[in-house]
Amino acid sequence: MPVIGMGTASYPPVDAGTLKSAIVEAIRAGYRHFDTAFIYGSEQPIGAAIAEALNIGLIKSRNELFITSKLWCTYAEPDLVIPAIKMSLENLQLEYLDLYLIHWPLKFSKKVSRLPVPKEEVSVIDIKTVWSAMEECQLLGLTKVIGVSNFSSRKLEEILSLAKIPPAVNQVEMNPLWQQKELNEYCKAKGIHVSAHSPLGSKGTLWGDNRIFDCHALKEIAEAKGKTIAQICLRWVYEQGASVIAKSFNKKRMEENLEIFDWSLSVEELEKIRVLPQCKINSIGTFIEPSAELEAQL
């Protein structure tokens, strides 16, 4: 699994042509991991971009790429998991995924048509049966590896208690202002790799803001090292032992996001970041109207 992946969730969504061109440019720049999901609407443009990259010789085979997709909440039922991954594979024009994740530890009613999702349309998934279906995806060769996204230690413990194939990855929000120290340590102890989404705090989305880029300490570190704030954040995630999903459709920033390996943060700089306030945005609350009972289970 490449250390840096390119995220393809976009809010508001970009058109398919723009996304396809960005993916082709990212492959040209050196990206080899692409993170998508059924709900992002980016699977088909990624598939088209891979086909073009093969056609023009940017890559020699699909095996050079690591492709991640996710099971959306409306398909979080045991009999819908395999049809869902097959639908994603068809969108991507691929025979297999490298990594397939349960997107959230939630199930949405098929009636869902607006955000936030009404609480009566939301429930916690039956993790035993859904995870068994995820395991079947791997056994059938539809994906090389399975994992989860946005899962707490509590929900991971539940999977580990019943899994025949344990989750290989937990993709969660992680950045200098939301450091996930306890969850990261738990995952390391259990042999679960952490992949960090929103390393810049979801700037530009409905639920994100500019707190990362307005952070004085991060600005000071970036200026002292001659780096961008984004590079400081990506390097910090890397130094926590996690891989990172970075999203930019700008060619210059794409290239900058890959330039984090020939330098490091000092002990003093890491300490400055360690003591930053933990300013978590309630991402779940953006999408759903959770009941008190549901919040307790999560």
Side-chain angles (χ1 to χ4, degrees):
M1 184 177 182
V3 171
I4 297 182
M6 181 174 175
T8 60
S10 182
Y11 304 94
V14 299
D15 66 272
T18 298
L19 182 53
K20 175 191 170 184
S21 297
I23 299 299
V24 171
E25 197 58 52
I27 293 173
R28 195 188 310 276
Y31 286 84
R32 292 297 181 264
H33 177 193
F34 294 92
D35 181 84
T36 184
F38 173 80
I39 195 63
Y40 297 166
S42 60
E43 290 176 334
Q44 289 181 331
I46 289 175
I50 293 171
E52 182 171 327
L54 287 165
N55 186 52
I56 63 178
L58 291 179
I59 52 175
K60 294 181 180 179
S61 76
R62 178 263 183 268
N63 293 339
E64 294 180 36
L65 301 178
F66 190 101
I67 308 298
T68 298
S69 195
K70 307 179 188 77
L71 175 75
W72 184 235
C73 302
T74 53
Y75 302 107
E77 297 181 19
D79 60 333
L80 298 180
V81 173
I82 290 177
I85 191 173
K86 287 183 175 179
M87 183 164 49
S88 289
L89 289 171
E90 183 177 352
N91 288 339
L92 289 158
Q93 305 175 51
L94 298 177
E95 294 182 355
Y96 68 90
L97 293 173
D98 295 278
L99 175 62
Y100 195 48
L101 306 175
I102 298 176
H103 205 145
W104 288 92
L106 301 168
K107 183 175 74 172
F108 293 168
S109 162
K110 298 177 184 63
K111 299 176 183 178
V112 168
S113 60
R114 64 183 176 85
L115 295 176
V117 180
K119 61 186 176 184
E120 61 269 18
E121 305 296 344
V122 183
S123 59
V124 175
I125 64 175
D126 179 350
I127 196 63
K128 181 177 181 179
T129 58
V130 171
W131 188 253
S132 179
M134 292 288 288
E135 291 175 330
E136 188 66 16
C137 290
Q138 181 168 330
L139 294 172
L140 290 171
L142 299 173
T143 181
K144 289 187 174 181
V145 179
I146 52 176
V148 296
S149 178
N150 304 304
F151 271 53
S152 65
S153 300
R154 178 177 177 178
K155 300 306 291 185
L156 287 171
E157 194 70 38
E158 187 177 351
I159 290 182
L160 291 171
S161 71
L162 53 85
K164 295 177 181 176
I165 303 174
V169 173
N170 186 19
Q171 186 184 113
V172 296
E173 178 181 354
M174 184 177 178
N175 57 60
L177 295 185
W178 180 239
Q179 297 181 7
Q180 298 278 29
K181 187 175 185 293
E182 291 184 3
L183 179 59
N184 192 28
E185 289 177 351
Y186 174 86
C187 288
K188 285 180 180 178
K190 298 296 184 179
I192 300 171
H193 177 73
V194 171
S195 178
H197 71 69
S198 307
L200 307 182
S202 301
K203 178 185 177 184
T205 66
L206 293 173
W207 57 90
D209 57 30
N210 293 331
R211 278 180 283 186
I212 289 281
F213 290 91
D214 291 341
C215 178
H216 182 68
L218 293 175
K219 285 181 181 179
E220 280 189 340
I221 295 170
E223 289 172 3
K225 300 194 84 68
K227 304 295 180 183
T228 67
I229 289 177
Q231 287 173 320
I232 297 300
C233 292
L234 298 182
R235 178 70 198 189
W236 177 84
V237 169
Y238 173 62
E239 292 193 17
Q240 309 315 300
S243 56
V244 61
I245 305 299
K247 194 219 81 178
S248 178
F249 299 155
N250 176 281
K251 180 181 177 181
K252 183 174 183 293
R253 287 196 290 271
M254 280 185 202
E255 293 172 348
E256 287 176 347
N257 289 344
L258 293 174
E259 297 170 353
I260 66 165
F261 299 110
D262 60 351
W263 54 277
S264 61
L265 295 165
S266 69
V267 173
E268 293 78 12
E269 289 162 344
L270 287 169
E271 180 60 17
K272 282 184 180 180
I273 294 173
R274 187 188 69 80
V275 299
L276 289 174
Q278 304 272 304
C279 303
K280 177 71 170 75
I281 300 165
N282 184 6
S283 299
I284 290 181
T286 304
F287 295 107
I288 67 172
E289 298 172 358
S291 64
E293 295 80 5
L294 178 61
E295 285 184 317
Q297 292 182 68
L298 295 173

